[in-house]
Amino acid sequence: MYKLYSMQRSGNSYKVRLALAFLEAPYRAIEIDILRGESRTPEFLAKNPSGQVPLLEVADGRYLAESNAILWYVAIGTSLAPESRMDRAEALQWMFFEQHALEPNIGAAYFWLSLVRGGRDLQTHALEDWMERGYAALQVMEDHLKTHDFFAAGQLTIADIALYGYTHVAHQCDFDLETFPSVRRWLRRVESQEGFVAMDWHPTSGEFDTLDVAAGA
């Protein structure tokens, strides 16, 4: 059984929890509050020197970091990971796009404006760039979704999960999605898929083995 170190309100962590929910894969969840420094303890850094979540323990003492790498690991051999060479390449294309165009802008805005107390004042100098680049990323997504239901392989894949993680909270950090109707339809389409769970969803006993502890416990 997987052991997942994640933070409930982290978009990157949510991606992994969402994929595991779609796959009905059992896992043990360990809550790590990065805002309280729980990912910077010696115990956690011994597991992941970058001090980031999510982190997946795939075997005893064997850890995998980076949300999109974890998505590929858990999805290989399932419908969430395309099989054909081109479909896989397209899924990777969108996952790379998510990491260089979406997450550094909408993800950063979400972190500082929604999670960090006083974050807006601390990051006033960065807001304009985040908004400009974030809207540009949303436009690229909108243009694709005008003619596609999903981002790769014509079906829900981990590319959609990767992009959904921060797009669905964009409105919480000043982004207006009203001018992106195709993106809004896609968000609803992902949410209508069997097995979908929201970011604030917690596993219940009998479905998943859940453990909420501080780092190093």
Side-chain angles (χ1 to χ4, degrees):
M1 179 184 293
Y2 297 129
K3 184 183 293 184
L4 176 65
Y5 298 83
S6 74
M7 180 175 168
Q8 192 72 30
R9 296 184 66 194
S10 156
N12 282 324
S13 293
Y14 172 49
K15 296 177 200 173
V16 179
R17 297 196 310 272
L18 181 55
L20 292 172
F22 278 133
L23 295 171
E24 298 183 333
Y27 65 95
R28 191 180 186 193
I30 301 175
E31 178 72 8
I32 301 294
D33 189 342
I34 63 174
L35 300 177
R36 295 172 55 190
E38 293 178 356
S39 65
R40 308 302 303 181
T41 66
E43 293 84 0
F44 189 84
L45 290 173
K47 299 178 178 68
N48 183 13
S50 72
Q52 297 176 335
V53 292
L55 181 69
L56 188 70
E57 186 170 3
V58 301
D60 189 25
R62 187 75 183 270
Y63 300 95
L64 183 62
E66 298 296 333
S67 59
N68 287 351
I70 296 172
L71 289 181
W72 271 107
Y73 181 87
V74 301
I76 287 176
T78 77
S79 63
L80 293 181
E83 292 187 2
S84 80
R85 185 175 183 178
M86 186 62 190
D87 287 345
R88 285 198 171 193
E90 286 186 341
L92 281 168
Q93 167 188 297
W94 284 109
M95 294 173 83
F96 292 144
F97 169 85
E98 185 270 338
Q99 284 291 284
H100 75 71
L102 192 77
E103 196 272 349
N105 298 299
I106 296 179
Y110 169 72
F111 179 81
W112 286 101
L113 303 187
S114 298
L115 301 186
V116 177
R117 182 176 300 177
R120 184 181 297 273
D121 293 334
L122 292 171
Q123 296 294 331
T124 301
H125 63 287
L127 284 177
E128 185 176 346
D129 282 345
W130 287 341
M131 299 302 291
E132 180 181 354
R133 294 170 185 170
Y135 274 123
L138 288 168
Q139 189 60 58
V140 171
M141 295 169 63
E142 176 72 15
D143 291 343
H144 176 81
L145 291 168
K146 287 176 181 177
T147 55
H148 299 81
D149 286 342
F150 298 100
F151 280 94
Q155 64 182 53
L156 179 76
T157 69
I158 50 176
D160 297 283
I161 295 172
L163 288 160
Y164 181 87
Y166 283 108
T167 304
H168 89 287
V169 293
H171 66 284
Q172 296 182 27
C173 48
D174 295 0
F175 288 92
D176 183 0
L177 297 184
E178 284 302 311
T179 57
F180 302 100
S182 298
V183 170
R184 288 187 283 112
R185 284 193 294 270
W186 166 76
L187 289 173
R188 294 193 295 269
R189 195 173 298 124
V190 172
E191 291 158 5
S192 70
Q193 301 299 302
E194 184 177 358
F196 173 84
V197 296
M199 179 183 274
D200 60 359
W201 175 83
H202 289 270
T204 58
S205 60
E207 292 180 305
F208 296 88
D209 180 16
T210 312
L211 179 64
D212 292 324
V213 298

